[in-house]
Amino acid sequence: MTISQESNEDLLSPFREDEVWAALKGTGPTKAPGLDGFPTLFFQQYWHIVGMCIDEVQSAFVLGRLITDNVLLAYEILHTFRQKRTGKKGYMAVKLDMSKAYDRVEWDFVKKMMIKMGFAHEWVGLIMKCISSVSYAVNINGSRGRIFQPTRGFRQGDPLSLFLFLICSEGLSSLMRSAKQEGLVKGAKASRRGPEIYHLLFADDCQCVNFNKSTIFYSSNTTAEAKELVSLMLGVRSSSSLEKYLGLPNVVVLQALPTYAMSCFLFPKTLCEMIESKFARFWWQKGVGKRGIHWCKLKYLCGSKEEGGLGFKSMAQFNIAMLAKQGWRLLNSTNSLVARVFKVKYFPDCNFRFSSLGRSSSLVWRSIWTTKDALEKGLIWKVGTGENISAFEDAWILNHDNARLTAGVGNSHFVKVAELINSNEREWNRDLIGNTFPKAEAELILRIPLAMELHEDLLVWNGELSDEFSVRSSYKILQNSDPTAYALQNIYRGFYNKLWKIDIPTKIKIFIWKISWNFLATRVNMAIRKLTSSTLCPRCAVGEETMNHLFRDCSVSVAIWKDYFVFRFGPSGGIGTLASTKKQTGRVRRLLVLFIATLRNLKEFGKIYQSISNRTVEWKNPPRQTVKINFDGAFDERSKQSASRVVVRDSNGSVLLTSIELHKGVASAFVAEALVCRRATQIALDMNKEEVIIEGDSCP
């Protein structure tokens, strides 16, 4: 393939300021371009031109293509090999593992490839200046050596590198095309009428073959003698496993990184459950290797945060959503190589929506085919001519239940949406629609705008405003249509929305989430699980330790809340109201951090704090414009710990500030009193007030 004169003129035209600005906006200010995107002006502005220089067998790093395309194609070809058990001629596929090419690419080769492809010499010169401007210096024992210029290799992370690698790979593709024309190699087909495939590229490096990692896969009818001869000639080992041949990750890797394989294969239910069980075990464990209590099933954690869950992924639903992307591409990228191969073999006379599973189908086809129902939940027609849309069967009306029409109330003899349109005026036939459909549905139809000029009906994805499919929206649709999903009342949705937005540490948000679902190890909860025999509160020894008792009724907790401010509780006993203003959020943040830190030490702290709370001290209001600081301390001889409390009030008795601290390694009661007195004095100095009264429990 060669570059046209028009394309070269576009490439050589001066860069405009608005083009540079668009590129800058698309690139993070502190992030280098990643390996999965093209954030610079060159790729954003001209990819639609130079992209077609690149052979269709290259699926990596090409806009509109996926690396999984070639995985599906390779698996389909190998499935055909496995099914071929008769015939005198055997087939083989060789997987060549290439060494990384960043340090191997010769600049002269890149230059000649670009000229061979038809790029203008001026443009090639600009690219070569970008490549050859690099220089290096080596530090030896802390001293920098002389600067030198290399003659080969690309800089990793350079946004040009990916594009130039594709040009290098085009050199290999050209050689393969020449070999095919000369009859030196013969391609393979997934079906008799399908395209002939003789090589596939999975990545961007194609310089040096790694024979130790390369393998050959043979068709079932290949003789043992032929296998041995080929292996000796090529110096490459053979394989009988499709998964190992393709380099697919094993089960252990899938537990950590399942998304790659989930894009190509439908996982068995048992495998999904195994992965989910590992997620749950990790989430509930007390520490590395320490088992914890599983307070709920994982499916409740898989709910969205707004619905009271934690946003974990349901492996089975996520698997379907990932595979649905392949189905969407079979519907919309019909000219791609993978779509052409699958169409000829599995649905030659229809599109993917109306395809059948068929016999002797491959695993990848069976996996993708199972997503048809999931796709239908999000597909909707945009009306053009209306000739292809069934009025009562297809989805074509937004904001309609299931996007399907119910039975009409009048004439319903027509079958296509086109019959509802006055084609000459490009307007809806209001009388016909009103006489045919229920009033609510008729109003929805009449709201659909019709283009003034005719165009083809367009099948789009209803889950995104862009009309383009996304795994995220597909997964959400599957979640919402799950009949076993937990339905949360609106009052609780509001609570969780505020919870995850409030400015407090994540670990405290999770702690509050556990409170809301009664997922703490209170004595009552532990007794239900037969992990303890006593349900009595270990702090006050008055009532059963339920969630309400722990946070609201226990005398120790009441004293803590009282020293701060009234904090309302929700109908289920969990925290029900979260502050929304910035000032209130700060107070809530400080309160929760201190309260939860206090809870960690309640077993020891409870006894000490209770002794402070039980003391009765007559308090008198200070004079106007004066604040009073009261302090008190308590000491536990056995644990050598003390608790201190400082309260600051104004002349009206309103609490301005409180401080509660737990001290370890305290030698005596005198030291405990000294610590709390020092804290009260420090608070007084920090307040910078002219008149401050500091008052202890024994003397003012």
Side-chain angles (χ1 to χ4, degrees), residues 60-111:
F61 311 120
V62 180
L63 191 65
R65 306 181 194 175
L66 296 176
I67 193 171
T68 52
D69 285 359
N70 281 0
V71 174
L72 300 177
L73 284 171
Y75 201 96
E76 196 62 39
I77 292 293
L78 296 179
H79 172 75
T80 303
F81 282 11
R82 179 173 283 179
Q83 296 293 315
K84 185 173 177 56
R85 305 182 185 276
T86 60
K88 295 181 179 180
K89 290 185 178 181
Y91 288 82
M92 72 173 186
V94 182
K95 179 177 79 75
L96 297 179
D97 187 271
M98 302 294 185
S99 299
K100 290 298 180 183
Y102 282 99
D103 300 327
R104 297 178 179 272
V105 176
E106 296 183 2
W107 295 345
D108 190 54
F109 172 73
V110 178
K111 181 178 180 180

Side-chain angles (χ1 to χ4, degrees), residues 417-545:
V417 173
E419 299 176 52
L420 300 175
I421 302 173
N422 293 324
S423 56
N424 294 332
E425 295 83 10
R426 293 299 298 160
E427 293 180 351
W428 292 109
N429 188 327
R430 291 180 172 272
D431 293 337
L432 179 60
I433 292 172
N435 293 329
T436 304
F437 302 100
K439 182 178 180 181
E441 293 180 345
E443 290 179 354
L444 289 174
I445 294 173
L446 294 174
R447 291 176 191 170
I448 300 175
L450 293 174
M452 296 305 296
E453 297 182 2
L454 288 177
H455 61 82
E456 292 294 324
D457 299 317
L458 181 64
L459 196 61
V460 299
W461 182 251
N462 191 28
E464 295 287 351
L465 294 176
S466 64
D467 293 337
E468 287 295 322
F469 178 92
S470 73
V471 174
R472 179 189 63 83
S473 58
S474 176
Y475 178 76
K476 187 175 182 180
I477 288 174
L478 289 172
Q479 273 195 313
N480 294 338
S481 60
D482 185 357
T484 65
Y486 184 83
L488 203 67
Q489 296 181 11
N490 289 333
I491 183 174
Y492 297 109
R493 287 195 186 94
F495 163 70
Y496 287 114
N497 272 323
K498 291 181 180 179
L499 170 62
W500 298 114
K501 292 177 182 178
I502 197 171
D503 183 25
I504 56 177
T506 302
K507 62 181 179 181
I508 298 190
K509 294 180 186 179
I510 293 174
F511 185 83
I512 298 173
W513 175 83
K514 289 181 178 180
I515 294 173
S516 71
W517 285 106
N518 195 22
F519 290 162
L520 293 186
T522 62
R523 287 287 180 88
V524 170
N525 285 342
M526 298 290 280
I528 292 174
R529 287 163 176 79
K530 303 186 183 302
L531 297 175
T532 184
S533 58
S534 173
T535 61
L536 203 61
C537 176
R539 287 162 296 282
C540 66
V542 174
E544 288 187 328
E545 190 189 34

Side-chain angles (χ1 to χ4, degrees), residues 276-540:
E276 290 176 346
S277 67
K278 291 186 177 293
F279 289 164
R281 190 180 308 164
F282 173 81
W283 174 252
W284 294 116
Q285 68 182 4
K286 295 180 179 178
V288 179
K290 297 181 180 179
R291 296 181 62 183
I293 300 175
H294 290 227
W295 292 102
C296 69
K297 294 181 179 179
L298 186 70
K299 72 174 184 177
Y300 296 115
L301 302 182
C302 291
S304 65
K305 289 186 175 181
E306 294 78 13
E307 291 291 332
L310 290 178
F312 283 27
K313 288 289 187 296
S314 165
M315 288 295 101
Q317 290 181 340
F318 186 61
N319 191 185
I320 293 291
M322 294 288 288
L323 285 168
K325 185 172 185 177
Q326 307 294 355
W328 169 262
R329 298 187 77 248
L330 292 181
L331 275 173
N332 289 273
S333 301
T334 55
N335 291 327
S336 66
L337 181 59
V338 65
R340 300 203 318 266
V341 169
F342 277 82
K343 177 174 177 56
V344 171
K345 185 172 183 178
Y346 293 114
F347 49 99
D349 302 320
C350 61
N351 63 29
F352 174 68
R353 293 179 67 201
F354 304 104
S355 62
S356 58
L357 185 58
R359 296 180 179 179
S360 302
S361 54
S362 67
L363 175 59
V364 290
W365 170 247
R366 294 198 304 271
S367 299
I368 298 173
W369 190 82
T370 59
T371 68
K372 289 206 309 176
D373 290 341
L375 273 176
E376 289 296 327
K377 297 180 186 298
L379 291 176
I380 188 169
W381 284 97
K382 279 197 170 181
V383 180
T385 61
E387 295 289 345
N388 300 316
I389 308 174
S390 172
F392 288 101
E393 296 179 2
D394 287 325
W396 57 285
I397 303 176
L398 287 173
N399 302 321
H400 186 267
D401 292 341
N402 299 319
R404 299 291 191 274
L405 286 175
T406 58
V409 295
N411 298 324
S412 59
H413 61 278
F414 57 85
V415 291
K416 298 296 182 182
V417 173
E419 299 176 52
L420 300 175
I421 302 173
N422 293 324
S423 56
N424 294 332
E425 295 83 10
R426 293 299 298 160
E427 293 180 351
W428 292 109
N429 188 327
R430 291 180 172 272
D431 293 337
L432 179 60
I433 292 172
N435 293 329
T436 304
F437 302 100
K439 182 178 180 181
E441 293 180 345
E443 290 179 354
L444 289 174
I445 294 173
L446 294 174
R447 291 176 191 170
I448 300 175
L450 293 174
M452 296 305 296
E453 297 182 2
L454 288 177
H455 61 82
E456 292 294 324
D457 299 317
L458 181 64
L459 196 61
V460 299
W461 182 251
N462 191 28
E464 295 287 351
L465 294 176
S466 64
D467 293 337
E468 287 295 322
F469 178 92
S470 73
V471 174
R472 179 189 63 83
S473 58
S474 176
Y475 178 76
K476 187 175 182 180
I477 288 174
L478 289 172
Q479 273 195 313
N480 294 338
S481 60
D482 185 357
T484 65
Y486 184 83
L488 203 67
Q489 296 181 11
N490 289 333
I491 183 174
Y492 297 109
R493 287 195 186 94
F495 163 70
Y496 287 114
N497 272 323
K498 291 181 180 179
L499 170 62
W500 298 114
K501 292 177 182 178
I502 197 171
D503 183 25
I504 56 177
T506 302
K507 62 181 179 181
I508 298 190
K509 294 180 186 179
I510 293 174
F511 185 83
I512 298 173
W513 175 83
K514 289 181 178 180
I515 294 173
S516 71
W517 285 106
N518 195 22
F519 290 162
L520 293 186
T522 62
R523 287 287 180 88
V524 170
N525 285 342
M526 298 290 280
I528 292 174
R529 287 163 176 79
K530 303 186 183 302
L531 297 175
T532 184
S533 58
S534 173
T535 61
L536 203 61
C537 176
R539 287 162 296 282
C540 66

Side-chain angles (χ1 to χ4, degrees), residues 637-700:
E637 179 69 30
R638 182 184 59 81
S639 64
K640 297 297 182 182
Q641 292 184 347
S642 70
S644 61
R645 178 176 64 171
V646 179
V647 181
V648 182
R649 299 182 178 92
D650 60 15
S651 58
N652 296 320
S654 300
V655 177
L656 303 179
L657 184 147
T658 62
S659 174
I660 300 175
E661 293 180 338
L662 180 65
H663 307 282
K664 296 181 180 180
V666 181
S668 63
F670 176 80
V671 175
E673 289 291 335
L675 288 171
V676 66
C677 182
R678 181 181 67 179
R679 175 61 178 155
T681 304
Q682 185 61 53
I683 290 175
L685 292 173
D686 293 341
M687 295 185 69
N688 197 24
K689 292 279 188 178
E690 291 186 1
E691 297 183 14
V692 178
I693 299 175
I694 302 178
E695 184 178 79
D697 61 336
S698 56
C699 60

